[in-house]
């Protein structure tokens, strides 16, 4: 490739932003031309994260300076701040890849119900695509705004889509018990994420009330061809990275476990980043941590007629920065794995 | 109390055995008169666990020597070995508190199905009581053999019993997503519990096939008045101690969340070791770790008509050694909390 | 004992305060009559720490209300706030056990140098005793103010005192490499103790500049009979509780390792809470966690002529609340282990 | 590069071997042509490590099959097994990069003393080079056998070399207090690395007796120009990866801390993988984990006249597989960072 893609990261000192910086730095076809931060404008990012020292990174600037001349802008902002940035990008014809939630829900009513505010720039939303590459690749290529999926919805969507599309499970009563590493809660300090109160524990939070719920429902409803409600309960897991979701579904097929597994293997046969576990192996976080892979295992409980799916991703990579770069690669016609093909370490 | 209860621990060097030793050592009304171990017979237990040095503990002996003269024998043995010991205890009129599974299931067919062997001494089983004190206190007082409940079934039973007894939830479709600390897997070395392969991960295991399933079903079926099947999926959690179970039930009442919570508070009002969380607080392991408490939180998901219960215990205390001592206290007419009233540390 | 000791905890919602509350609650000869908190006055402590619910604890009040009628006041305050409280206690003849640093250093110059302020109430300091019971028991009985030692100095003092007293090591060049669990940093939120930035890491902090340095030097200088400087470097260890110190000393004796170990065993033969490891065993945190024990191991490096000591305590128990209660027991003539004789769990 | 380097890994299922496989898989100029394992010959490596599934890896074979046709053979074997392999490689003119200890010590007497056996093939040792690239780059280019340094010696050597070379510190009395993540102990199961007995603890091991001691001494002696003894005490740290060493040296210069830091920055100015922390920042594991970087921080304790160095690496990357690939890159004339330029994530 002759010319590198010029990439800017807005909100570079939050965890998702920092992960973008980290991955873009060694991307062979992209160049990090600007990074911005409201809190640390004018400082070196290595003052915030000493792991970034001696790497020749640009200084943190304001948003406008950072995005100038960029081919693609990654937004890693608190929700509610991306629409204004999207307007700027639209004006200059720059691709926006938004890691926040502002453009993920197509239905404004649903958005308002969960986020307690309307769309600020409703006219921009028609150009936005919900960008889970393995499921919606064709739409992404023509997007104006790429709405990068949330972490929990990525793991849930990839696991449930085939079962619903192939009609293997009932459309009601799906239950998603999710466990996420603490980076999912971000860099901001809270009592819940203070080391001594997180370590050696686990607990559910936002039971039945997490904002990723409508996003999961949007994806599985597309697979099912009708609106589906799911029960979604996230838990704070004492690890840095990774999501494990154990998903409980009512079987409606008489296929065997092996046949269902084979159907999944087939469904994802051309997708390098989705891997189906062998019989008897459960998906686990350590097999995907710090990588862009999603591992899914398939278990049948014959006694109760349930299909149980375990789905694991790294919340910061496939659940955020890695998938954002996968979308960039896809949009610009690169191999999707460029720069994000790290093999997960087993330990 | 003039005379102390003479207590022996058979299988004292496994994790449950060591926890019994630890708790009995400071029990004000009991005296540890014998400890046995097949693997370490003749050694000091402080050679196995240096945390027990300088405490004046008896030397590890064989089983017969350890139980001689005891008023109560605690068995912390691999399953299948307690029935012979029970016969010896029966012969000498000694109370047996079995921390294993041999006497937990009343139905021999069910036992055979899950454990792949019949009862060896079927005549002893009529004298055995499934000893969850908060639910079956009266039966325990007259027991000949106390079958101490398993860890997962303790957390599940205490959480589900009131809802089923009071008719708040449907009898089918109950799903238990359980997470357990690694001490639950015992002292034996396995690749799955090797530090670098357990740490910073989580995974489901024995999906739909864990032997605690029939034990949970036995308890909830008693509450429901009819046989109930449950879906039970345990996960290996990277913490030393503690179990969290998130339990999904279909609501069949029109009571509000507050009313259901009040009903639980009332159900357990005389039980010091069962505590119901305030509204908005999720039960979490850190609030019960290294104590005999069971914390339960109650959550209603109105969108989907579900009652979601979170139940936490320490797997080694309320889920094993602590509950065994609670049963001893109950049997011998002591205050149930004697020697096991440690307040959980919040960090 | 007929009448229980009335105990108040000032600063009950910090970590050391909460640990005092936890341990005093089950102390058989003490009664918790008041707890205070500036931040949470008027609230229940179970709102701050749900692990304390359903335990019948008093409501959090202001300091004056909390200490009224108390026989002993425990102060768990930020440094600089205990002298005023000491004045109040002196006025009412109440024993003060101060877990902070205000009364630990006898030399006001040294205090000023490290804490950048003079003594506020210099007249009170003559009644204060540095209360490491195993070393200075006799002085504690007659104290007016008990200055409870810091966590690092407790582990260092107990390890180094015999070697210096018995003349086994040189008085210069002692190096203490210390590692502490994160509860040592307290309940306040900092970026350094945010879970994802603490977990899976370790780092030195306040290298050569930690305020426990002069306190360590004060104790070892008493043993040596002359002023000693030490090199002290603490590290933040990703565990909740516990301190391990590896201490490097120049050997000046021709005793063998076994002889030195025997001398230590003898030195502490009447001290239940200090335990010397067997040959070949290193002291480790898990053998003392959540207990009042201090474990010390002794290693000789003949190649280099060094004596290496490893010393472990639980920073919240022997390093704070447990030792404070040990001092209370000692002062009031109780068995020193009353209420703090928990046996450490090996897992 | 037209033709890729053909690389084989002998001992591919141990932790160092698996890490080599992981990193070589995405190396742009190398191709993994063979992997061997005694324990799992004939199996897929993804059966041992499910994180390697769907990656097109070769099947595990015996050693001879694996190394056939290779340009470079990486040996990740228990010590004592590499000399025979070296003979085979010598016969076929293949470069051997040995991650074990067999070729690290130049002095056979020292080797015999610490490893309790002589060199098996003494004639091969003259062609072996101790390959710490930042210090001994020129020798590595002409090597026949590359002896890849041990993890502890890499961190210690890089930290101490400049201070000794520049004459800033005394040559005697150097003390290295090292803490290593549990992957350093390898994949084999031991009680010490069983999750519940490693987690939430720390302890010293092999005090003054670890086999990395003579290797550290060999490197620092080269810097000093004379033989130096060091005190070396490793600790088992409850994290997966990473080494932190806090190194205590007697200052012999009147340079200020800033001047010493500047001298280090200058010494390593052309070395991308060695980074010196800014004033007031301590090197910590999280800033180098899963990367090939070595971070060093410099602290002066004026009170005691000590220079204190903190040095951090990832034990599996810069301490094993990453440095081995760096050596391969160097030998074959590639940019040294090829394939191992991962930026460390700060969380």
């Amino acid at each position: 490739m002759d010319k590198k893609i010029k990439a800017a990261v807005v909100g570079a000192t939050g965890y998702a932003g920092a992960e973008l910086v980290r991955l873009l730095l060694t991307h062979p076809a992209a160049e990090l031309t600007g990074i911005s931060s409201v809190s640390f404008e004018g400082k070196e990012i290595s003052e915030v994260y000493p792991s970034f020292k001696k790497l020749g990174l640009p200084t943190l600037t304001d948003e406008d300076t950072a995005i100038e001349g960029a081919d693609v802008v990654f937004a890693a902002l608190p929700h509610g701040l991306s629409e204004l940035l999207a307007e700027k990008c639209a004006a200059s014809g720059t691709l926006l890849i938004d890691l926040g939630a502002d453009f993920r829900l197509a239905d404004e009513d649903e958005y308002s119900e969960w986020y307690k505010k309307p769309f600020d720039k409703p006219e921009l939303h028609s150009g936005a695509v919900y960008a889970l590459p393995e499921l919606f690749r064709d739409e992404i290529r023509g997007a104006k705004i790429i709405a990068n999926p949330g972490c929990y919805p990525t793991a849930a969507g990839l696991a449930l889509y085939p079962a619903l599309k192939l009609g293997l499970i009932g459309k009601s009563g799906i239950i998603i018990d999710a466990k996420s590493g603490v980076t999912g809660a971000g860099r901001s300090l809270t009592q819940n994420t203070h080391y001594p109160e997180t370590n050696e524990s686990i607990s559910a939070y936002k039971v039945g009330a997490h904002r990723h719920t409508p996003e999961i429902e949007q994806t599985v409803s597309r697979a099912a061809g009708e609106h589906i409600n799911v029960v979604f309960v996230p838990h704070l897991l004492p690890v840095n990275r990774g999501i494990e979701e154990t998903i409980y579904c009512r079987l409606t097929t008489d296929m065997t476990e092996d046949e269902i597994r084979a159907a999944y293997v087939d469904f994802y046969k051309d997708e390098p980043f989705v891997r189906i576990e062998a019989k008897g192996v459960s998906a686990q976080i350590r097999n995907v941590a710090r990588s862009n892979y999603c591992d899914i295992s398939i278990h049948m409980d014959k006694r109760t007629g349930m299909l149980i799916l375990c789905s694991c991703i790294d919340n910061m990579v496939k659940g955020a920065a890695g998938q954002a770069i996968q979308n960039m690669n896809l949009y610009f016609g690169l191999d999707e794995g460029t720069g994000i093909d790290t093999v997960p370490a087993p330990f």
Side-chain angles (χ1 to χ4, degrees), chain A:
Chain A
M1 180 156 199
D2 288 357
K3 245 178 70 183
K4 291 196 171 187
I5 302 165
K6 291 184 167 61
V9 176
V10 173
T13 56
Y15 279 178
E19 187 75 352
L20 279 164
V21 167
R22 181 174 88 82
L23 294 173
L24 286 167
L25 253 173
T26 52
H27 192 291
E31 181 186 1
L32 197 58
T33 53
I35 56 178
S36 82
S37 163
V38 170
S39 314
F40 300 99
E41 189 188 329
K43 299 207 167 175
E44 298 306 314
I45 193 168
S46 63
E47 294 176 64
V48 186
Y49 296 114
S51 68
F52 288 157
K53 60 188 169 287
K54 208 176 176 177
L55 294 173
L57 275 160
T59 301
L60 291 161
T61 64
D62 64 15
E63 180 178 301
D64 289 341
T65 309
I67 69 175
E68 207 179 307
D71 299 312
V72 54
V73 170
F74 293 92
L77 297 168
H79 80 86
L81 301 178
S82 293
E83 290 181 275
L84 279 172
L85 177 60
E87 204 170 34
K88 292 186 204 173
C89 289
S92 61
T94 311
L95 176 69
L96 175 70
I97 301 181
D98 184 23
L99 280 75
D102 294 11
F103 292 98
R104 287 185 197 149
L105 296 182
D107 184 318
E108 185 169 358
D109 289 345
E110 200 149 42
Y111 181 81
S112 301
E113 187 189 326
W114 289 86
Y115 289 88
K116 309 300 173 201
K117 65 178 277 296
F119 288 163
D120 285 333
K121 309 281 172 191
E123 68 282 6
L124 293 173
H125 285 257
S126 62
V129 167
Y130 186 78
L132 229 170
E134 286 80 4
L135 302 181
F136 312 122
R137 182 168 288 120
D138 292 341
E139 303 171 23
I140 299 167
R141 291 202 178 91
K144 288 180 176 155
I145 295 169
I146 286 179
N148 207 57
C151 50
Y152 289 123
T154 294
L158 291 172
L160 281 166
Y161 202 92
L164 285 162
K165 197 75 181 177
L166 303 174
L168 310 181
I169 58 172
K171 297 178 183 178
S172 67
I174 295 172
I175 289 170
I176 302 166
D177 189 286
K179 302 93 180 168
S180 172
V182 187
T183 49
R187 187 176 184 269
S188 296
L189 306 180
T190 65
Q191 205 66 45
N192 279 344
T193 54
H194 188 47
Y195 186 88
E197 308 193 16
T198 307
N199 186 36
E200 293 292 290
S201 193
I202 191 172
S203 63
Y205 67 98
K206 294 187 190 164
V207 177
H210 194 285
R211 282 166 168 170
H212 282 178
T213 309
E215 193 182 328
I216 296 170
E217 292 178 350
Q218 177 176 274
T219 297
V220 298
S221 297
R222 283 183 65 168
E226 65 182 76
H227 185 76
I228 288 185
N229 272 359
V230 301
V231 178
F232 173 62
V233 178
H235 299 72
L236 187 68
L237 179 71
V239 307
N240 270 16
R241 286 165 172 250
I243 281 176
E244 194 271 352
E245 299 184 1
T246 300
I247 305 177
Y248 301 87
C249 318
R250 204 164 28 83
L251 273 168
T252 56
T253 175
D254 54 7
M255 287 166 68
T256 64
E257 189 185 289
D258 287 346
E259 289 167 345
I260 295 175
R261 187 174 295 108
Y264 266 74
V265 168
D266 184 64
F267 192 93
Y268 287 122
K269 65 176 181 297
D270 298 325
E271 298 297 340
F273 287 128
V274 182
R275 307 187 297 186
I276 310 303
E277 299 287 0
K279 187 184 180 68
V281 178
S282 295
Q284 53 186 292
I285 283 177
R286 72 180 181 99
N287 290 333
V288 298
R290 290 157 211 270
S291 85
N292 201 52
Y293 288 88
C294 175
D295 281 4
I296 298 169
S297 64
I298 286 157
H299 313 266
M300 191 184 283
D301 184 12
K302 282 189 208 161
R303 286 175 68 248
T304 57
M306 301 294 285
L307 180 70
I308 299 166
L309 304 168
C310 298
S311 181
C312 290
I313 60 167
D314 181 300
N315 58 307
M316 300 306 296
V317 185
K318 184 63 178 170
Q323 185 150 269
I325 293 172
Q326 185 180 359
N327 279 318
M328 177 191 79
N329 292 340
L330 167 56
Y331 183 90
F332 287 101
L334 300 168
D335 182 287
E336 274 179 41
T338 310
I340 48 169
D341 59 351
T342 310
V343 176
F347 41 77

mmCIF file of all heavy atoms in Angstrom, chain A residues 88-108:
data_model
loop_
_atom_site.group_PDB
_atom_site.id
_atom_site.type_symbol
_atom_site.label_atom_id
_atom_site.label_comp_id
_atom_site.label_asym_id
_atom_site.label_seq_id
_atom_site.Cartn_x
_atom_site.Cartn_y
_atom_site.Cartn_z
ATOM 1 N N LYS A 88 -19.458 17.416 12.032
ATOM 2 C CA LYS A 88 -18.175 17.921 11.518
ATOM 3 C C LYS A 88 -17.592 16.981 10.471
ATOM 4 O O LYS A 88 -17.116 17.403 9.421
ATOM 5 C CB LYS A 88 -17.149 18.058 12.656
ATOM 6 C CG LYS A 88 -17.437 19.139 13.674
ATOM 7 C CD LYS A 88 -16.241 19.249 14.644
ATOM 8 C CE LYS A 88 -16.672 19.857 15.973
ATOM 9 N NZ LYS A 88 -15.607 19.823 16.992
ATOM 10 N N CYS A 89 -17.611 15.691 10.770
ATOM 11 C CA CYS A 89 -17.037 14.716 9.839
ATOM 12 C C CYS A 89 -17.829 14.702 8.533
ATOM 13 O O CYS A 89 -17.262 14.625 7.445
ATOM 14 C CB CYS A 89 -17.020 13.324 10.466
ATOM 15 S SG CYS A 89 -15.807 13.172 11.788
ATOM 16 N N ALA A 90 -19.141 14.787 8.651
ATOM 17 C CA ALA A 90 -19.976 14.814 7.458
ATOM 18 C C ALA A 90 -19.604 16.003 6.589
ATOM 19 O O ALA A 90 -19.501 15.896 5.351
ATOM 20 C CB ALA A 90 -21.455 14.864 7.846
ATOM 21 N N ALA A 91 -19.372 17.141 7.229
ATOM 22 C CA ALA A 91 -19.043 18.356 6.489
ATOM 23 C C ALA A 91 -17.759 18.200 5.685
ATOM 24 O O ALA A 91 -17.626 18.727 4.573
ATOM 25 C CB ALA A 91 -18.918 19.531 7.459
ATOM 26 N N SER A 92 -16.806 17.465 6.235
ATOM 27 C CA SER A 92 -15.522 17.318 5.541
ATOM 28 C C SER A 92 -15.423 15.989 4.801
ATOM 29 O O SER A 92 -14.375 15.657 4.257
ATOM 30 C CB SER A 92 -14.374 17.436 6.554
ATOM 31 O OG SER A 92 -14.476 16.402 7.512
ATOM 32 N N GLY A 93 -16.501 15.232 4.792
ATOM 33 C CA GLY A 93 -16.477 13.955 4.080
ATOM 34 C C GLY A 93 -15.578 12.917 4.715
ATOM 35 O O GLY A 93 -15.066 12.018 4.048
ATOM 36 N N THR A 94 -15.369 13.045 6.008
ATOM 37 C CA THR A 94 -14.503 12.094 6.722
ATOM 38 C C THR A 94 -15.344 10.969 7.320
ATOM 39 O O THR A 94 -16.415 11.224 7.869
ATOM 40 C CB THR A 94 -13.770 12.827 7.867
ATOM 41 O OG1 THR A 94 -13.186 14.021 7.357
ATOM 42 C CG2 THR A 94 -12.704 11.942 8.491
ATOM 43 N N LEU A 95 -14.829 9.767 7.218
ATOM 44 C CA LEU A 95 -15.540 8.644 7.831
ATOM 45 C C LEU A 95 -15.460 8.759 9.348
ATOM 46 O O LEU A 95 -14.380 8.978 9.905
ATOM 47 C CB LEU A 95 -14.900 7.319 7.390
ATOM 48 C CG LEU A 95 -15.509 6.071 8.057
ATOM 49 C CD1 LEU A 95 -16.933 5.821 7.575
ATOM 50 C CD2 LEU A 95 -14.638 4.843 7.795
ATOM 51 N N LEU A 96 -16.603 8.567 10.012
ATOM 52 C CA LEU A 96 -16.611 8.518 11.475
ATOM 53 C C LEU A 96 -16.883 7.089 11.927
ATOM 54 O O LEU A 96 -17.863 6.470 11.489
ATOM 55 C CB LEU A 96 -17.699 9.435 12.043
ATOM 56 C CG LEU A 96 -17.872 9.348 13.571
ATOM 57 C CD1 LEU A 96 -16.672 9.951 14.295
ATOM 58 C CD2 LEU A 96 -19.163 10.044 14.014
ATOM 59 N N ILE A 97 -16.011 6.576 12.766
ATOM 60 C CA ILE A 97 -16.284 5.290 13.417
ATOM 61 C C ILE A 97 -16.514 5.600 14.889
ATOM 62 O O ILE A 97 -15.599 6.016 15.603
ATOM 63 C CB ILE A 97 -15.116 4.292 13.219
ATOM 64 C CG1 ILE A 97 -14.891 4.050 11.718
ATOM 65 C CG2 ILE A 97 -15.417 2.980 13.941
ATOM 66 C CD1 ILE A 97 -13.772 3.049 11.400
ATOM 67 N N ASP A 98 -17.763 5.432 15.299
ATOM 68 C CA ASP A 98 -18.158 5.839 16.653
ATOM 69 C C ASP A 98 -18.205 4.628 17.569
ATOM 70 O O ASP A 98 -18.980 3.710 17.365
ATOM 71 C CB ASP A 98 -19.535 6.501 16.595
ATOM 72 C CG ASP A 98 -19.956 7.027 17.959
ATOM 73 O OD1 ASP A 98 -19.070 7.269 18.803
ATOM 74 O OD2 ASP A 98 -21.169 7.198 18.177
ATOM 75 N N LEU A 99 -17.361 4.642 18.584
ATOM 76 C CA LEU A 99 -17.360 3.524 19.537
ATOM 77 C C LEU A 99 -18.429 3.682 20.616
ATOM 78 O O LEU A 99 -18.633 2.787 21.431
ATOM 79 C CB LEU A 99 -15.977 3.362 20.182
ATOM 80 C CG LEU A 99 -14.949 2.618 19.316
ATOM 81 C CD1 LEU A 99 -14.421 3.483 18.199
ATOM 82 C CD2 LEU A 99 -13.820 2.064 20.150
ATOM 83 N N GLY A 100 -19.098 4.825 20.637
ATOM 84 C CA GLY A 100 -20.164 5.053 21.611
ATOM 85 C C GLY A 100 -21.508 4.562 21.109
ATOM 86 O O GLY A 100 -21.615 3.919 20.057
ATOM 87 N N ALA A 101 -22.544 4.890 21.861
ATOM 88 C CA ALA A 101 -23.874 4.323 21.586
ATOM 89 C C ALA A 101 -24.751 5.215 20.732
ATOM 90 O O ALA A 101 -25.841 4.798 20.326
ATOM 91 C CB ALA A 101 -24.567 4.055 22.922
ATOM 92 N N ASP A 102 -24.312 6.430 20.407
ATOM 93 C CA ASP A 102 -25.222 7.415 19.824
ATOM 94 C C ASP A 102 -25.874 6.981 18.514
ATOM 95 O O ASP A 102 -26.997 7.403 18.214
ATOM 96 C CB ASP A 102 -24.483 8.752 19.598
ATOM 97 C CG ASP A 102 -24.075 9.408 20.910
ATOM 98 O OD1 ASP A 102 -24.166 8.753 21.961
ATOM 99 O OD2 ASP A 102 -23.663 10.578 20.881
ATOM 100 N N PHE A 103 -25.189 6.188 17.730
ATOM 101 C CA PHE A 103 -25.742 5.812 16.426
ATOM 102 C C PHE A 103 -26.105 4.334 16.331
ATOM 103 O O PHE A 103 -26.342 3.818 15.247
ATOM 104 C CB PHE A 103 -24.750 6.172 15.304
ATOM 105 C CG PHE A 103 -24.578 7.647 15.121
ATOM 106 C CD1 PHE A 103 -23.506 8.331 15.677
ATOM 107 C CD2 PHE A 103 -25.523 8.378 14.401
ATOM 108 C CE1 PHE A 103 -23.359 9.697 15.511
ATOM 109 C CE2 PHE A 103 -25.380 9.749 14.231
ATOM 110 C CZ PHE A 103 -24.298 10.419 14.795
ATOM 111 N N ARG A 104 -26.081 3.634 17.458
ATOM 112 C CA ARG A 104 -26.293 2.182 17.364
ATOM 113 C C ARG A 104 -27.748 1.778 17.186
ATOM 114 O O ARG A 104 -28.035 0.789 16.521
ATOM 115 C CB ARG A 104 -25.754 1.511 18.630
ATOM 116 C CG ARG A 104 -24.240 1.483 18.698
ATOM 117 C CD ARG A 104 -23.804 0.699 19.910
ATOM 118 N NE ARG A 104 -22.415 0.965 20.241
ATOM 119 C CZ ARG A 104 -21.941 0.930 21.481
ATOM 120 N NH1 ARG A 104 -22.762 0.656 22.507
ATOM 121 N NH2 ARG A 104 -20.675 1.158 21.704
ATOM 122 N N LEU A 105 -28.656 2.500 17.819
ATOM 123 C CA LEU A 105 -30.068 2.107 17.748
ATOM 124 C C LEU A 105 -30.749 2.845 16.603
ATOM 125 O O LEU A 105 -30.717 4.069 16.526
ATOM 126 C CB LEU A 105 -30.768 2.419 19.066
ATOM 127 C CG LEU A 105 -30.263 1.654 20.295
ATOM 128 C CD1 LEU A 105 -31.088 2.026 21.522
ATOM 129 C CD2 LEU A 105 -30.330 0.143 20.062
ATOM 130 N N ALA A 106 -31.371 2.084 15.717
ATOM 131 C CA ALA A 106 -32.027 2.687 14.562
ATOM 132 C C ALA A 106 -33.328 3.382 14.975
ATOM 133 O O ALA A 106 -33.730 4.382 14.373
ATOM 134 C CB ALA A 106 -32.301 1.608 13.507
ATOM 135 N N ASP A 107 -33.973 2.872 15.976
ATOM 136 C CA ASP A 107 -35.283 3.367 16.379
ATOM 137 C C ASP A 107 -35.130 4.472 17.426
ATOM 138 O O ASP A 107 -34.665 4.227 18.543
ATOM 139 C CB ASP A 107 -36.080 2.175 16.941
ATOM 140 C CG ASP A 107 -37.512 2.541 17.302
ATOM 141 O OD1 ASP A 107 -37.729 3.639 17.881
ATOM 142 O OD2 ASP A 107 -38.408 1.733 17.039
ATOM 143 N N GLU A 108 -35.513 5.675 17.058
ATOM 144 C CA GLU A 108 -35.335 6.810 17.967
ATOM 145 C C GLU A 108 -36.154 6.651 19.248
ATOM 146 O O GLU A 108 -35.713 7.059 20.322
ATOM 147 C CB GLU A 108 -35.689 8.122 17.269
ATOM 148 C CG GLU A 108 -35.378 9.319 18.172
ATOM 149 C CD GLU A 108 -35.459 10.673 17.469
ATOM 150 O OE1 GLU A 108 -35.724 10.716 16.253
ATOM 151 O OE2 GLU A 108 -35.231 11.689 18.141
#
